Amino acid sequence: MKQQGVHPEDAEGTSDAASRPDAAGPAREDEDLVEVTHIDEVEGDEPLLPARVHRPSDLMRLLVGVLAVVVLLGIAAFAHGTTSGLEQDINKGTGQAPDLLIKIAGLASSIAILLVPVAFAIERLIKRDGLRIADGVLAAVLAHGVTLATDLWVAKAAPDSIQEALTQPSPGDVHALTDPVHGYLAPVIAYMTAVGMSRRPRWRAVLWIVLMLDAFSMLVTGYTTPFSIILTVLIGWTVAYGTLYAVGSPNVRPTGRTLMAGLRHVGFRPVSAARREVPENPETGDRGRRYFVTLEDGPPLDVTVVDREQQAQGFFYRAWRNLTLRGFATRSSLQSLRQALEQEALLAYAAISAGANAPKLIATSELGPDAVMLVYEHTGGRTLDSLADEEITDELLHDTWQQVRALQSRRIAHRRLVGDAILVDRSGTVILTDMRVGEIAAGDLLLRMDTSQLLVTLGLRVGAERSVASAVSVLGPDAVADCLPMLQPIALSRSTRATLRRLARERAQRERDAVLEASRQAKQARHEAAGHEAGPPPADKAEKKAVRAEARAEKRAIDEALEEAREEDLLTQIRHEVLRIRPQAPVEPARLERVRPRTLISFIAGAIGAYFLLTQLTHIEFGPLIANAEWGWVAAAVLFSAASYVAAAMSLLGFVPERVPFPRTVAAQVAGSFVKIVAPAAVGGVALNTRFLQRAGVRPGLAVASVGASQLFGLGCHILMLLSFGYLTGTEKTPSLSPSRTVIAGLLTVAVLVLVVTSVPFLRKFVVTRVRSLFAGVVPRMLDVLQRPQKLVTGIGGMLLLTACFVMCLDASIRAFGDETTSISIASVAVVFLAGNALGSAAPTPGGVGAVEATLTVGLIAVGLPKEVAAPAVLLFRLLTLWLPVLPGWLAFTQLTRKGAL
């Protein structure tokens, strides 16, 4: 709808407000300019409101319900002996109730449990709220289906302990069992939850009384168990919230007309309102719907409306931050509307009291049970993000820091000093907005985080030097220096981190382009020089010398181009600027993470792997197995495991033209056994070898290229050996050399994946970019290696020997616990090892713990090895190649570190 009653001079703040977040319009001083023509005209409001919304709170309750069901079944399965005594006590206590009372309660509850939902449905239909009834009926139908599926599962496939916990002999027929889940209670609970009876205390109380009476009567008469009752309630509750999240809940957001009525309720006389679009912020949830409101008399207003749906946005992100960060996480993830209103109002009053420029809060009010509004005096202006670079003067920077100093003088933390929270009015005055996530009585940690955040926010616009200089001029050098430990991405806002990542990708792209351009120019110069040469071709020795000289020249050109293109990131620039002023400032980043994502993923993956192994080991008797083990093969497995470190050293040095001591390289590979326990296998070894080569005198760029070349050749050899041994495994049991269908299916799957990657533009660009960046550094290094064939033979031979050592170690472990009747071919062992090693390198757990054991065990069983032999063989193999070398690896790591080799 078109907004009317606005003077042409105010067009910037009204008609354009819905399309430009920073447009607010000037404050209206003369009420005669207002032409009152239409009341309650709202621009850009109702069309943006969907009929239904998917609430994150419903999804959270669904997940909690599923987890509760799993925990209940787990208790029933593993602690049934403990809970059976509780059931007996309950049955003994309830058995003393009078029979007449039990019969009356059962009869009354059986009738009321059907009448109460019907009565509530009639009441809702009279009030024209049929959509809620439809949601409730759908949830009841789904809950009934889930109960039928659960009953079938318990009767046919559930463990005996779960069946005993959920059922008991029926009193009417001792040969029949009671129902595990009550087919009518769960639908009623689902219906009650979906229609929202929890918001109507009287109806909720009546229905819960009826449900408790029914459950009590069934429990006393022996038609159910406590576990069955709890499971029924959980299923009904979970299905209800799953239904609500799937189909969406009716949108109860207040409309613009509701806003106008609320403004009149608190004493204002609004003429019109224009919706201002504000970008959502996942860290704080939606910052509310904002309106520019014109009045019949007086200056215009800025009104913020916050409802439950907006408040729930970003819930999971905030919950994750609260879980993983120490002491300074975002506001409570389960904050009520009343708490949000009180917090924002308190911060608005506190900021103005501290002397900072902030929007003045003049009224608050509820807009029904699910929304609140906050009314501010209108503050026109533009955000810092919308200002041009030349408009950001030193005076503006100084004024911004003055506002922050005013807040910090009263221990107020803003918590979100980003560009769109800093407003500059027409006179150039800085106003701090978006205070709803701040804190009063804040600690030093939060105040230093504000300083570091604003340093980065301003640095992104004016550079590190001007940002630090303006901060020092207002806060002083000591206060700025104290924020250096907070200057890390995890302490910054989400939008700032995204900007820094984008800039990092752009820097990396410029570096890659510079390296590729230098390589291209060097090759072109070499071809031109070769074209201008005259006379007979040189002798072989001279020709080789010239080729080596050209390769070194190309390598120098690439290194020089990389050095010229290398740029420091903004955080490093800010640190350097602060250290110029305070050289003794602390620079070690503070430990802000409580739990790292990698640690959590490693723990989950390790738990899954441990569960899998324990389930496999419970059926194996290790006493007789170890007594009958062939210790000669165990000794052979130990020797193969030890020889793998010599092979690993050969595979690395084969791609390093420089002279590096071989014994020390072997020691470094032994040290890698310790490193890969504390880091993923694909990361720890690469970092350690790169560091070792740098300490051995190899230049950093060349060390990275050597390790990259080794990894690249290793990947190629791994794939070729996997395909070769897979082919041999598929043909070993057939008279012809045709592979099995499994091998053909695997090859076709790989081919399909390659076609998908090459046909999707995004994936193709991603792969091409990564391959180009890899070859940009590896290819020049390979030119040096190719000039020394003995080095290349050493590297490739070391890779083949390394794989052979591991395969023979696994084969010896199998033979130690098996016999001739349980033996499998060496090709099958090789396929299983290569597949398990590939998965272990991709797994996020240190050393591939869990993933490798599971893959090797399943693979050996799949190729025909009995489970009683496969499980202990894998355990012996992992013991020799992963766990036993940890102590020698730690000793080697400590010794090499003491000598400066790591």
Side-chain angles (χ1 to χ4, degrees), residues 28 226 257 266 289 411 413 441 574 587 688 736 804 810 875:
R28 185 171 303 179
R257 296 184 181 276
V266 293
R289 284 180 291 153
R411 313 295 297 181
I574 293 176
V587 295
L688 183 137
S736 64
L810 180 59
L875 289 180

Side-chain angles (χ1 to χ4, degrees), residues 331-375:
R331 64 177 173 85
S332 174
S333 300
L334 299 176
Q335 194 178 39
S336 67
L337 279 174
R338 171 62 63 177
Q339 291 173 330
L341 175 66
E342 293 174 350
Q343 180 183 15
E344 185 166 353
L346 177 61
L347 284 163
Y349 294 139
I352 294 177
S353 177
N357 296 329
K360 184 178 179 180
L361 182 67
I362 57 178
T364 60
S365 178
E366 292 184 349
L367 295 178
D370 297 311
V372 296
M373 72 173 180
L374 300 100
V375 184

Side-chain angles (χ1 to χ4, degrees), residues 610-631:
Y611 173 77
F612 175 82
L613 288 178
L614 289 176
T615 56
Q616 295 293 325
L617 298 179
T618 52
H619 304 286
I620 300 174
E621 297 181 2
F622 284 95
L625 193 65
I626 295 176
N628 298 327
E630 294 288 341
W631 293 100

Side-chain angles (χ1 to χ4, degrees), residues 368-387:
D370 297 311
V372 296
M373 72 173 180
L374 300 100
V375 184
Y376 293 91
E377 288 185 352
H378 174 64
T379 53
R382 293 182 294 165
T383 63
L384 183 68
D385 287 340
S386 63
L387 295 178

Side-chain angles (χ1 to χ4, degrees), residues 97 118 185 371 373 403 488 546 738 799 887:
V118 173
L185 278 183
M373 72 173 180
Q403 307 310 313
Q488 48 183 307
S738 59
M799 291 176 183
L887 180 59

Side-chain angles (χ1 to χ4, degrees), residues 125 171 228 268 378 395 470 518 532 656 675 809 883 890:
L125 290 175
S228 177
F268 296 100
H378 174 64
E395 290 78 13
S470 60
H532 288 86
V656 183
V675 173
C809 180
W883 298 111
W890 177 77

Side-chain angles (χ1 to χ4, degrees), residues 171-372:
D173 185 1
V174 295
H175 299 289
L177 297 176
T178 59
D179 294 333
V181 182
H182 303 291
Y184 65 92
L185 278 183
V188 170
I189 294 173
Y191 170 87
M192 176 189 71
T193 306
V195 298
M197 291 183 68
S198 60
R199 297 182 182 179
R200 293 164 176 83
R202 293 182 180 179
W203 285 100
R204 178 184 59 189
V206 170
L207 188 56
W208 274 114
I209 291 174
V210 171
L211 289 175
M212 291 177 65
L213 283 176
D214 187 77
F216 172 77
S217 62
M218 293 185 63
L219 188 64
V220 171
T221 54
Y223 282 97
T224 188
T225 66
F227 275 108
S228 177
I229 294 175
I230 298 174
L231 181 61
T232 300
V233 174
L234 289 177
I235 287 178
W237 189 74
T238 304
V239 171
Y241 283 112
T243 304
L244 289 177
Y245 185 77
V247 303
S249 301
N251 196 341
V252 295
R253 285 188 175 186
T255 63
R257 296 184 181 276
T258 307
L259 168 66
M260 304 294 268
L263 289 172
R264 290 193 192 93
H265 183 69
V266 293
F268 296 100
R269 299 172 62 187
V271 175
S272 58
R275 173 78 181 274
R276 298 173 56 191
E277 293 296 330
V278 181
E280 295 179 1
N281 175 29
E283 291 183 281
T284 63
D286 191 334
R287 292 153 55 199
R289 284 180 291 153
R290 299 187 177 183
Y291 296 85
F292 174 79
V293 179
T294 58
L295 304 177
E296 292 184 13
D297 52 350
L301 304 173
D302 290 331
V303 182
T304 300
V305 177
V306 181
D307 56 48
R308 296 186 187 278
E309 304 308 325
Q310 293 168 320
Q311 192 187 28
Q313 293 186 11
F315 168 81
F316 294 106
Y317 176 78
R318 296 195 302 272
W320 173 252
R321 296 274 290 182
N322 289 332
L323 173 67
T324 58
L325 301 184
R326 297 173 181 267
F328 69 93
T330 56
R331 64 177 173 85
S332 174
S333 300
L334 299 176
Q335 194 178 39
S336 67
L337 279 174
R338 171 62 63 177
Q339 291 173 330
L341 175 66
E342 293 174 350
Q343 180 183 15
E344 185 166 353
L346 177 61
L347 284 163
Y349 294 139
I352 294 177
S353 177
N357 296 329
K360 184 178 179 180
L361 182 67
I362 57 178
T364 60
S365 178
E366 292 184 349
L367 295 178
D370 297 311
V372 296

